[in-house]
mmCIF file of all heavy atoms in Angstrom:
data_model
loop_
_atom_site.group_PDB
_atom_site.id
_atom_site.type_symbol
_atom_site.label_atom_id
_atom_site.label_comp_id
_atom_site.label_asym_id
_atom_site.label_seq_id
_atom_site.Cartn_x
_atom_site.Cartn_y
_atom_site.Cartn_z
ATOM 1 N N GLN A 176 -20.222 -39.299 -14.438
ATOM 2 C CA GLN A 176 -19.966 -40.432 -15.089
ATOM 3 C C GLN A 176 -19.734 -41.649 -14.132
ATOM 4 O O GLN A 176 -19.612 -42.814 -14.639
ATOM 5 C CB GLN A 176 -18.619 -40.313 -15.995
ATOM 6 C CG GLN A 176 -18.715 -39.184 -16.898
ATOM 7 C CD GLN A 176 -19.857 -39.190 -17.919
ATOM 8 O OE1 GLN A 176 -20.335 -40.267 -18.450
ATOM 9 N NE2 GLN A 176 -20.477 -38.022 -18.102
ATOM 10 N N ILE A 177 -19.563 -41.435 -12.904
ATOM 11 C CA ILE A 177 -19.180 -42.565 -12.006
ATOM 12 C C ILE A 177 -20.440 -43.534 -11.767
ATOM 13 O O ILE A 177 -21.542 -43.042 -11.362
ATOM 14 C CB ILE A 177 -18.730 -41.970 -10.686
ATOM 15 C CG1 ILE A 177 -17.486 -41.071 -10.876
ATOM 16 C CG2 ILE A 177 -18.434 -43.189 -9.647
ATOM 17 C CD1 ILE A 177 -17.061 -40.322 -9.529
ATOM 18 N N ASN A 178 -20.151 -44.800 -12.002
ATOM 19 C CA ASN A 178 -21.120 -45.753 -11.904
ATOM 20 C C ASN A 178 -21.574 -45.972 -10.294
ATOM 21 O O ASN A 178 -20.633 -46.278 -9.679
ATOM 22 C CB ASN A 178 -20.567 -46.977 -12.518
ATOM 23 C CG ASN A 178 -21.704 -47.808 -13.108
ATOM 24 O OD1 ASN A 178 -22.867 -47.556 -12.863
ATOM 25 N ND2 ASN A 178 -21.444 -48.854 -13.878
ATOM 26 N N GLY A 179 -22.736 -45.848 -10.097
ATOM 27 C CA GLY A 179 -23.079 -45.984 -8.586
ATOM 28 C C GLY A 179 -23.255 -44.765 -7.833
ATOM 29 O O GLY A 179 -23.538 -44.769 -6.668
ATOM 30 N N LEU A 180 -22.891 -43.599 -8.518
ATOM 31 C CA LEU A 180 -23.038 -42.399 -7.935
ATOM 32 C C LEU A 180 -24.103 -41.514 -8.678
ATOM 33 O O LEU A 180 -24.108 -41.329 -9.837
ATOM 34 C CB LEU A 180 -21.702 -41.526 -7.920
ATOM 35 C CG LEU A 180 -21.681 -40.257 -7.235
ATOM 36 C CD1 LEU A 180 -20.535 -40.200 -6.181
ATOM 37 C CD2 LEU A 180 -21.555 -39.162 -8.173
ATOM 38 N N ASP A 181 -25.025 -41.005 -7.845
ATOM 39 C CA ASP A 181 -26.105 -40.320 -8.458
ATOM 40 C C ASP A 181 -26.093 -38.790 -7.948
ATOM 41 O O ASP A 181 -26.140 -38.504 -6.865
ATOM 42 C CB ASP A 181 -27.402 -40.965 -7.830
ATOM 43 C CG ASP A 181 -28.740 -40.565 -8.556
ATOM 44 O OD1 ASP A 181 -28.532 -39.965 -9.613
ATOM 45 O OD2 ASP A 181 -29.745 -40.769 -8.047
ATOM 46 N N LEU A 182 -25.817 -37.963 -8.870
ATOM 47 C CA LEU A 182 -25.485 -36.420 -8.575
ATOM 48 C C LEU A 182 -26.734 -35.548 -8.917
ATOM 49 O O LEU A 182 -27.198 -35.627 -10.117
ATOM 50 C CB LEU A 182 -24.237 -35.960 -9.166
ATOM 51 C CG LEU A 182 -23.717 -34.558 -9.012
ATOM 52 C CD1 LEU A 182 -23.438 -34.362 -7.495
ATOM 53 C CD2 LEU A 182 -22.547 -34.237 -9.861
ATOM 54 N N HIS A 183 -27.132 -34.875 -7.913
ATOM 55 C CA HIS A 183 -28.315 -33.898 -8.128
ATOM 56 C C HIS A 183 -27.817 -32.477 -7.771
ATOM 57 O O HIS A 183 -27.118 -32.328 -6.722
ATOM 58 C CB HIS A 183 -29.468 -34.194 -7.361
ATOM 59 C CG HIS A 183 -29.999 -35.581 -7.558
ATOM 60 N ND1 HIS A 183 -31.062 -35.924 -8.428
ATOM 61 C CD2 HIS A 183 -29.675 -36.804 -7.053
ATOM 62 C CE1 HIS A 183 -31.172 -37.130 -8.469
ATOM 63 N NE2 HIS A 183 -30.382 -37.754 -7.620
ATOM 64 N N LEU A 184 -28.082 -31.422 -8.493
ATOM 65 C CA LEU A 184 -27.747 -30.071 -8.355
ATOM 66 C C LEU A 184 -28.896 -29.163 -8.275
ATOM 67 O O LEU A 184 -29.727 -29.338 -9.076
ATOM 68 C CB LEU A 184 -26.684 -29.658 -9.261
ATOM 69 C CG LEU A 184 -25.476 -30.489 -9.530
ATOM 70 C CD1 LEU A 184 -24.713 -30.010 -10.759
ATOM 71 C CD2 LEU A 184 -24.548 -30.404 -8.452
ATOM 72 N N SER A 185 -28.836 -28.100 -7.431
ATOM 73 C CA SER A 185 -29.859 -27.013 -7.561
ATOM 74 C C SER A 185 -29.193 -25.712 -7.092
ATOM 75 O O SER A 185 -28.179 -25.715 -6.419
ATOM 76 C CB SER A 185 -30.954 -27.417 -6.606
ATOM 77 O OG SER A 185 -30.682 -27.155 -5.317
ATOM 78 N N VAL A 186 -29.848 -24.741 -7.579
ATOM 79 C CA VAL A 186 -29.378 -23.379 -7.124
ATOM 80 C C VAL A 186 -30.554 -22.648 -6.539
ATOM 81 O O VAL A 186 -31.768 -23.008 -7.080
ATOM 82 C CB VAL A 186 -28.685 -22.484 -8.157
ATOM 83 C CG1 VAL A 186 -27.444 -23.156 -8.634
ATOM 84 C CG2 VAL A 186 -29.619 -22.286 -9.341
ATOM 85 N N ASP A 187 -30.460 -21.791 -5.579
ATOM 86 C CA ASP A 187 -31.551 -21.061 -4.933
ATOM 87 C C ASP A 187 -32.227 -20.155 -6.139
ATOM 88 O O ASP A 187 -33.383 -20.049 -6.139
ATOM 89 C CB ASP A 187 -31.191 -20.257 -3.862
ATOM 90 C CG ASP A 187 -30.705 -21.149 -2.667
ATOM 91 O OD1 ASP A 187 -30.652 -22.302 -2.750
ATOM 92 O OD2 ASP A 187 -30.122 -20.601 -1.665
ATOM 93 N N GLN A 188 -31.347 -19.492 -6.859
ATOM 94 C CA GLN A 188 -31.863 -18.456 -7.723
ATOM 95 C C GLN A 188 -30.899 -18.247 -8.922
ATOM 96 O O GLN A 188 -29.695 -18.562 -8.721
ATOM 97 C CB GLN A 188 -32.065 -17.155 -7.028
ATOM 98 C CG GLN A 188 -31.103 -16.877 -6.096
ATOM 99 C CD GLN A 188 -31.158 -15.381 -5.491
ATOM 100 O OE1 GLN A 188 -30.995 -14.408 -6.153
ATOM 101 N NE2 GLN A 188 -31.422 -15.461 -4.224
ATOM 102 N N VAL A 189 -31.452 -17.834 -10.022
ATOM 103 C CA VAL A 189 -30.514 -17.651 -11.092
ATOM 104 C C VAL A 189 -30.566 -16.137 -11.509
ATOM 105 O O VAL A 189 -31.491 -15.602 -12.145
ATOM 106 C CB VAL A 189 -30.973 -18.504 -12.326
ATOM 107 C CG1 VAL A 189 -29.971 -18.249 -13.562
ATOM 108 C CG2 VAL A 189 -31.074 -19.934 -12.007
ATOM 109 N N PRO A 190 -29.620 -15.400 -11.078
ATOM 110 C CA PRO A 190 -29.584 -13.868 -11.265
ATOM 111 C C PRO A 190 -29.445 -13.683 -12.901
ATOM 112 O O PRO A 190 -28.958 -14.511 -13.612
ATOM 113 C CB PRO A 190 -28.345 -13.288 -10.558
ATOM 114 C CG PRO A 190 -27.959 -14.477 -9.719
ATOM 115 C CD PRO A 190 -28.404 -15.718 -10.194
ATOM 116 N N GLU A 191 -29.908 -12.532 -13.236
ATOM 117 C CA GLU A 191 -29.808 -12.266 -14.723
ATOM 118 C C GLU A 191 -28.333 -12.315 -15.177
ATOM 119 O O GLU A 191 -27.388 -11.910 -14.400
ATOM 120 C CB GLU A 191 -30.265 -10.697 -14.861
ATOM 121 C CG GLU A 191 -31.405 -10.658 -16.039
ATOM 122 C CD GLU A 191 -31.980 -9.340 -15.949
ATOM 123 O OE1 GLU A 191 -32.951 -9.048 -15.092
ATOM 124 O OE2 GLU A 191 -31.583 -8.455 -16.864
ATOM 125 N N GLY A 192 -28.194 -12.738 -16.359
ATOM 126 C CA GLY A 192 -26.811 -12.906 -16.906
ATOM 127 C C GLY A 192 -26.244 -14.273 -16.559
ATOM 128 O O GLY A 192 -25.019 -14.570 -17.096
ATOM 129 N N GLN A 193 -26.681 -14.985 -15.612
ATOM 130 C CA GLN A 193 -26.131 -16.325 -15.396
ATOM 131 C C GLN A 193 -26.975 -17.379 -16.028
ATOM 132 O O GLN A 193 -28.071 -17.202 -16.169
ATOM 133 C CB GLN A 193 -26.032 -16.502 -13.785
ATOM 134 C CG GLN A 193 -24.992 -15.701 -13.049
ATOM 135 C CD GLN A 193 -24.785 -16.012 -11.570
ATOM 136 O OE1 GLN A 193 -24.989 -17.156 -11.126
ATOM 137 N NE2 GLN A 193 -24.397 -15.162 -10.862
ATOM 138 N N GLU A 194 -26.292 -18.509 -16.268
ATOM 139 C CA GLU A 194 -26.815 -19.568 -17.013
ATOM 140 C C GLU A 194 -27.122 -20.809 -16.137
ATOM 141 O O GLU A 194 -26.199 -21.045 -15.281
ATOM 142 C CB GLU A 194 -26.107 -19.950 -18.335
ATOM 143 C CG GLU A 194 -26.873 -20.140 -19.420
ATOM 144 C CD GLU A 194 -25.982 -20.423 -20.652
ATOM 145 O OE1 GLU A 194 -25.353 -19.673 -21.211
ATOM 146 O OE2 GLU A 194 -25.994 -21.688 -20.922
ATOM 147 N N TRP A 195 -28.179 -21.433 -16.159
ATOM 148 C CA TRP A 195 -28.379 -22.592 -15.360
ATOM 149 C C TRP A 195 -29.501 -23.577 -16.009
ATOM 150 O O TRP A 195 -30.570 -23.197 -16.357
ATOM 151 C CB TRP A 195 -28.928 -22.176 -13.978
ATOM 152 C CG TRP A 195 -29.128 -23.429 -13.021
ATOM 153 C CD1 TRP A 195 -30.255 -23.858 -12.587
ATOM 154 C CD2 TRP A 195 -28.161 -24.181 -12.515
ATOM 155 N NE1 TRP A 195 -30.050 -24.873 -11.778
ATOM 156 C CE2 TRP A 195 -28.692 -25.249 -11.763
ATOM 157 C CE3 TRP A 195 -26.655 -24.353 -12.671
ATOM 158 C CZ2 TRP A 195 -27.931 -26.193 -11.024
ATOM 159 C CZ3 TRP A 195 -25.944 -25.295 -11.994
ATOM 160 C CH2 TRP A 195 -26.690 -26.239 -11.221
ATOM 161 N N LYS A 196 -28.946 -24.790 -16.172
ATOM 162 C CA LYS A 196 -29.936 -25.675 -16.989
ATOM 163 C C LYS A 196 -30.621 -26.610 -15.849
ATOM 164 O O LYS A 196 -31.722 -27.330 -16.227
ATOM 165 C CB LYS A 196 -29.227 -26.553 -17.895
ATOM 166 C CG LYS A 196 -28.711 -25.786 -19.124
ATOM 167 C CD LYS A 196 -28.262 -26.666 -20.161
ATOM 168 C CE LYS A 196 -27.291 -26.021 -21.185
ATOM 169 N NZ LYS A 196 -25.882 -25.959 -20.751
ATOM 170 N N GLY A 197 -30.086 -26.638 -14.622
ATOM 171 C CA GLY A 197 -30.629 -27.705 -13.686
ATOM 172 C C GLY A 197 -31.794 -27.137 -12.942
ATOM 173 O O GLY A 197 -32.519 -26.133 -13.343
ATOM 174 N N LYS A 198 -31.916 -27.764 -11.743
ATOM 175 C CA LYS A 198 -33.178 -27.275 -10.890
ATOM 176 C C LYS A 198 -32.880 -26.052 -10.129
ATOM 177 O O LYS A 198 -31.667 -25.663 -9.850
ATOM 178 C CB LYS A 198 -33.344 -28.401 -9.925
ATOM 179 C CG LYS A 198 -33.972 -29.589 -10.488
ATOM 180 C CD LYS A 198 -34.685 -30.332 -9.479
ATOM 181 C CE LYS A 198 -35.399 -31.481 -9.933
ATOM 182 N NZ LYS A 198 -35.290 -32.859 -9.395
ATOM 183 N N THR A 199 -33.932 -25.252 -9.789
ATOM 184 C CA THR A 199 -33.902 -24.140 -8.943
ATOM 185 C C THR A 199 -34.651 -24.453 -7.662
ATOM 186 O O THR A 199 -35.665 -25.116 -7.788
ATOM 187 C CB THR A 199 -34.289 -22.811 -9.509
ATOM 188 O OG1 THR A 199 -35.580 -23.045 -10.182
ATOM 189 C CG2 THR A 199 -33.258 -22.249 -10.417
ATOM 190 N N GLY A 200 -34.206 -23.803 -6.531
ATOM 191 C CA GLY A 200 -34.956 -24.115 -5.324
ATOM 192 C C GLY A 200 -33.897 -24.517 -4.303
ATOM 193 O O GLY A 200 -32.754 -24.908 -4.653
ATOM 194 N N VAL A 201 -34.203 -24.388 -2.977
ATOM 195 C CA VAL A 201 -33.280 -24.748 -1.975
ATOM 196 C C VAL A 201 -32.988 -26.250 -2.143
ATOM 197 O O VAL A 201 -33.805 -27.044 -2.634
ATOM 198 C CB VAL A 201 -33.740 -24.464 -0.567
ATOM 199 C CG1 VAL A 201 -33.677 -22.913 -0.356
ATOM 200 C CG2 VAL A 201 -35.096 -25.106 -0.253
ATOM 201 N N VAL A 202 -31.701 -26.724 -1.521
ATOM 202 C CA VAL A 202 -31.311 -27.986 -1.756
ATOM 203 C C VAL A 202 -32.180 -29.068 -1.291
ATOM 204 O O VAL A 202 -32.298 -30.207 -1.854
ATOM 205 C CB VAL A 202 -29.833 -28.203 -1.281
ATOM 206 C CG1 VAL A 202 -29.858 -28.184 0.264
ATOM 207 C CG2 VAL A 202 -29.171 -29.506 -1.716
ATOM 208 N N THR A 203 -32.974 -28.761 -0.199
ATOM 209 C CA THR A 203 -34.012 -29.674 0.366
ATOM 210 C C THR A 203 -35.111 -30.063 -0.665
ATOM 211 O O THR A 203 -35.564 -31.265 -0.599
ATOM 212 C CB THR A 203 -34.704 -29.121 1.572
ATOM 213 O OG1 THR A 203 -35.077 -27.843 1.235
ATOM 214 C CG2 THR A 203 -33.745 -29.090 2.763
ATOM 215 N N THR A 204 -35.308 -29.249 -1.766
ATOM 216 C CA THR A 204 -36.250 -29.759 -2.751
ATOM 217 C C THR A 204 -35.782 -30.919 -3.515
ATOM 218 O O THR A 204 -36.612 -31.617 -4.233
ATOM 219 C CB THR A 204 -36.629 -28.596 -3.811
ATOM 220 O OG1 THR A 204 -35.311 -28.072 -4.265
ATOM 221 C CG2 THR A 204 -37.398 -27.387 -3.007
ATOM 222 N N LEU A 205 -34.533 -31.045 -3.587
ATOM 223 C CA LEU A 205 -33.909 -32.271 -4.241
ATOM 224 C C LEU A 205 -34.174 -33.589 -3.466
ATOM 225 O O LEU A 205 -34.266 -34.725 -4.096
ATOM 226 C CB LEU A 205 -32.378 -32.146 -4.359
ATOM 227 C CG LEU A 205 -31.844 -30.928 -5.277
ATOM 228 C CD1 LEU A 205 -30.238 -30.930 -5.191
ATOM 229 C CD2 LEU A 205 -32.331 -31.231 -6.698
ATOM 230 N N LEU A 206 -34.443 -33.408 -2.121
ATOM 231 C CA LEU A 206 -34.586 -34.636 -1.348
ATOM 232 C C LEU A 206 -35.790 -35.426 -1.491
ATOM 233 O O LEU A 206 -35.905 -36.699 -1.657
ATOM 234 C CB LEU A 206 -34.328 -34.271 0.241
ATOM 235 C CG LEU A 206 -32.993 -33.643 0.446
ATOM 236 C CD1 LEU A 206 -32.964 -33.225 2.043
ATOM 237 C CD2 LEU A 206 -31.924 -34.708 0.244
ATOM 238 N N LYS A 207 -36.992 -34.739 -1.546
ATOM 239 C CA LYS A 207 -38.246 -35.228 -1.565
ATOM 240 C C LYS A 207 -38.419 -36.387 -2.632
ATOM 241 O O LYS A 207 -38.912 -37.430 -2.408
ATOM 242 C CB LYS A 207 -39.238 -34.272 -1.506
ATOM 243 C CG LYS A 207 -39.203 -33.348 -0.279
ATOM 244 C CD LYS A 207 -40.561 -33.007 0.306
ATOM 245 C CE LYS A 207 -40.418 -32.350 1.765
ATOM 246 N NZ LYS A 207 -40.131 -30.851 1.583
#
Side-chain angles (χ1 to χ4, degrees):
Chain A
Q176 305 306 317
I177 300 172
N178 213 346
L180 184 128
D181 191 17
L182 178 67
H183 303 265
L184 303 169
S185 77
V186 296
D187 298 355
Q188 44 176 289
V189 186
E191 232 170 278
Q193 289 190 25
E194 221 181 284
W195 183 246
K196 294 195 200 80
K198 290 205 170 129
T199 43
V201 289
V202 69
T203 45
T204 55
L205 293 174
L206 297 175
K207 297 224 172 84

